Amino acid sequence: MSHPHDDHVDEYAGLPVAFAPFPEDERPRPPADAVAWRLRASEWQDDAPDHFAESLDWFFEHVETEKVRAIVVGEWEECYESDSAPIIARLVAERDRLPALRSLFLGAIAQEEAEISWIQQSDITPLLEAFPKLERLEVRGGTGLALQPVRHESLRVLRFETGGLPGHVVRAVGDCDLPALEHLELWLGVEEYGGDATIPDCAAVLSGARLPSLRHLGLQDSEMQDDIAAAVASAPVVARLEWLDLSMGVLTDVGAEALLSGQPLTHLRTLDLSHHYLSDEMMRRLPESLPGVRVILDDLQKPDGEWRYVAVSE
């Protein structure tokens, strides 16, 4: 579940997905720890409750939540008008009944249910404070999103999928102490949809000072991808990375040249530049200049006049 168009999948965090409420038919209900429980509400789907609270009530009444390892929070009623705060508050209030929770996706909402930038999020800090053993947190939607700097000893994966990630959230990520974090993805998006992060906002992340275990860094989906590439070219965190992801944005030869002119990148296993605006010559140069590195150059884009578009915005 890594892109906003692939929500109807059967697996999350290595577990098959089961819906709550679970369909009342002849199938046995799966063991609580054998699936990722998907909670959602929809007035359009007959198999979903109208209100998210009903899904939560059924979940806590019928599932051995003490064993639950993964939760996927899908659509909630009018998610383009009401934010995720009540859902976060309920999960936090029930934290003692979720001692085994390790993976949480907040806002796994399909494009046909709500465009990514319509999803109303809120402050996710209470989730990190309430679940100190959480290893994976993924959030879709940047509108209303907030984060306060925290220390979290267990988190290994942190992903923000947005069409516009607020700069204050990017700064907060860099100011968090995350000693176990291995995988960080920030879909920065565009200013029109709230993506107002600047290169200085990314400075703490790029220093890597509070991210000693980081091996996979994604600074993606940005309309300033060339500037990001130039900043990455001298960023201290890069030396310890195995996977650098600058995909989904408007990368041109200017940014690619900055990468090649900066610090060595031949220690990387993968450099993902997919969805780009590179010339044929630069697409030849990059793999030649980085022997042993898997350079992903899929999804070549062509400018629309002077316009270049990121992969995900609205």
Side-chain angles (χ1 to χ4, degrees), residues 141-159:
T143 303
L145 184 64
L147 173 67
Q148 306 304 317
V150 296
R151 180 175 179 86
H152 197 286
E153 301 283 351
S154 304
L155 199 67
R156 295 175 56 232
V157 176
L158 179 61
R159 301 180 61 252

Side-chain angles (χ1 to χ4, degrees), residues 188-189 195-202 221-230 249-251 310:
L188 298 170
D196 60 358
T198 63
I199 296 301
D201 291 332
C202 301
D221 197 49
S222 177
E223 55 189 351
M224 59 171 185
Q225 206 73 54
D226 285 343
D227 293 335
I228 289 171
V250 297
L251 186 73
V310 301

